[in-house]
Amino acid sequence: MSYLPPAVPDANLLVGLDTSDDAGVYRLTDDLALVQTVDYFTPIVDDPYMFGAIAAANALSDVYAMGGKPITVLNIVGFPISKLDKRILAEILRGGADKVREAGAVLVGGHSIDDTDPKFGMAVTGIVHPQQVWTNAGARAGDRLLLTKPIGVGILTTGIKRGRLSPAEIQQVEQVMAALNKTAAEVARGYDVHACTDITGFGLLGHLLEMARGAGVGIHVQSSSVPRLERARELAAEGVMPGGTKRNFEWASECVTYADSIDQTEQYLLCDAVTSGGLLLAVPAEQAESLQSALLAAGVEAAAIIGSVVQEHPGKIQVNE
Ligand code: CO
Ligand code: CO
Ligand code: CO
């Protein structure tokens, strides 16, 4: 981020570049703020419809992670027009559009270019009350942490590329990535959310570290409580994982202490680079179990309490079994 020119101060910019948050938030009036985010990437699954749906769910997620409601969407498309069948592009766009509709947002336009590889994503604009923004920096000592989707997505998508997954397993990981964080965010809205972010490229521990640094608090993670995709451990043990997962592990290592019972495979798994992961929420301890039950009842099947926020070791994480 150091390549960016210095920010121009603006009192209405509620969330900007300095805290590595999920989206920018800009106040329009005393009770209305814009939430703006953009994300796109190259295909991570073979099915073009599912790729479109996953890219959309991933882009929309950053609005949910700020406590916002997505309103309008612009498509961002790169496609090798002369090399690939245009029906593939039509499927990608259909997958994206279906997710936008599910989110209750409106597709208002976009831009496409001829490109060497397919790329797809969205710029999403949402709204939020300026006093109800969920930043990634508001966690307080005593809070408990909840996660709403399983981790291991990077490991399993690498498994797909290496031909290690059955069609049913491929479908399962596609469904996890394509699931909107809409329901989780709507349920959590009824609780005192102190901090929120979504789990993506930096992995669970990377995003937890941002949360710890942002609030000057420490974090305890209970590894056995962290929901994970079936086969993630097995594949990780064989070294089936993306380069980003190992980089996350290296990057996080000086700020994470692992109990002796947490083996190398589990350490990699907790650092796995995720696409379109779940929400990570910090709520007061006395609300955590009620929120978990409400999430489960609403169909957020993986919702789990995975740790807590502590006063000691600010900016650092302790992982226990
Ligand atoms: Co995010
Ligand atoms: Co993003
Ligand atoms: Co947030």
Side-chain angles (χ1 to χ4, degrees):
M1 280 302 173
S2 53
Y3 302 107
L4 288 163
V8 179
D10 185 326
N12 289 314
L13 183 62
L14 304 183
V15 179
L17 295 164
D18 20 305
T19 53
S20 321
D21 217 316
D22 299 292
V25 181
Y26 191 85
R27 181 172 52 213
L28 295 178
T29 67
D30 283 347
D31 48 24
L32 187 67
L34 286 178
V35 183
Q36 293 182 286
T37 181
V38 56
D39 216 333
Y40 67 99
F41 41 69
T42 54
I44 43 162
V45 294
D46 293 331
D47 181 334
Y49 177 87
M50 288 311 292
F51 169 51
I54 290 163
N58 179 73
L60 288 157
S61 177
D62 279 327
V63 173
Y64 294 124
M66 302 310 289
K69 175 179 160 29
I71 300 292
T72 57
V73 172
L74 297 164
N75 279 336
I76 299 163
V77 182
F79 197 78
I81 284 296
S82 50
K83 276 197 304 186
L84 281 182
D85 191 333
K86 287 187 193 65
R87 277 173 297 188
I88 294 172
L89 177 56
E91 278 298 281
I92 295 171
L93 296 175
R94 192 170 68 85
D98 280 356
K99 277 292 150 188
V100 171
R101 199 171 309 121
E102 187 187 332
V106 183
L107 192 61
V108 295
H111 186 71
S112 54
I113 59 164
D114 193 3
D115 205 342
T116 47
D117 299 299
K119 298 182 184 79
F120 181 62
M122 292 173 170
V124 185
T125 300
I127 52 170
V128 68
H129 191 288
Q131 250 106 58
Q132 291 166 5
V133 179
W134 296 343
T135 74
N136 63 359
R140 301 177 201 172
D143 285 351
R144 304 212 71 193
L145 297 163
L146 284 93
L147 180 64
T148 66
K149 282 192 194 183
I151 60 168
V153 161
I155 292 164
L156 266 84
T157 50
T158 304
I160 295 175
K161 290 185 191 118
R162 300 200 191 159
R164 297 291 309 276
L165 267 59
S166 72
E169 287 165 344
I170 293 172
Q171 207 181 8
Q172 191 201 11
V173 66
E174 284 176 347
Q175 296 296 345
V176 166
M177 289 187 284
L180 288 178
N181 282 324
K182 177 177 195 275
T183 306
E186 284 170 357
V187 170
R189 177 54 71 210
Y191 294 78
D192 298 324
V193 174
H194 288 161
C196 180
T197 191
D198 58 348
I199 305 303
T200 52
F202 294 139
L204 176 62
L205 293 189
H207 289 281
L208 278 167
L209 270 179
E210 284 182 340
M211 202 175 254
R213 286 172 184 168
V217 294
I219 281 172
H220 285 176
V221 175
Q222 194 180 9
S223 184
S224 57
S225 303
V226 176
R228 71 272 316 273
L229 288 162
E230 257 175 69
R231 299 207 57 206
R233 249 198 81 90
E234 172 208 331
L235 291 167
E238 296 173 36
V240 177
M241 65 184 79
T245 296
K246 285 188 178 152
R247 282 195 296 276
N248 287 344
F249 170 77
E250 302 294 343
W251 177 80
S253 59
E254 67 185 85
C255 295
V256 182
T257 307
Y258 300 96
D260 290 344
S261 57
I262 308 297
D263 64 12
Q264 180 69 66
T265 299
E266 185 71 13
Q267 295 176 18
Y268 280 139
L269 180 52
L270 293 171
C271 294
D272 188 35
V274 172
T275 300
S276 194
L279 296 182
L280 172 68
L281 296 146
V283 298
E286 63 275 14
Q287 296 183 8
E289 280 171 22
S290 164
L291 173 54
Q292 186 196 12
S293 308
L295 287 166
L296 294 173
V300 183
E301 291 166 19
I305 300 170
I306 61 154
S308 51
V309 180
V310 297
Q311 203 124 48
E312 59 261 37
H313 53 79
K316 297 208 157 64
I317 298 176
Q318 165 75 41
V319 180
N320 295 314
E321 198 171 336

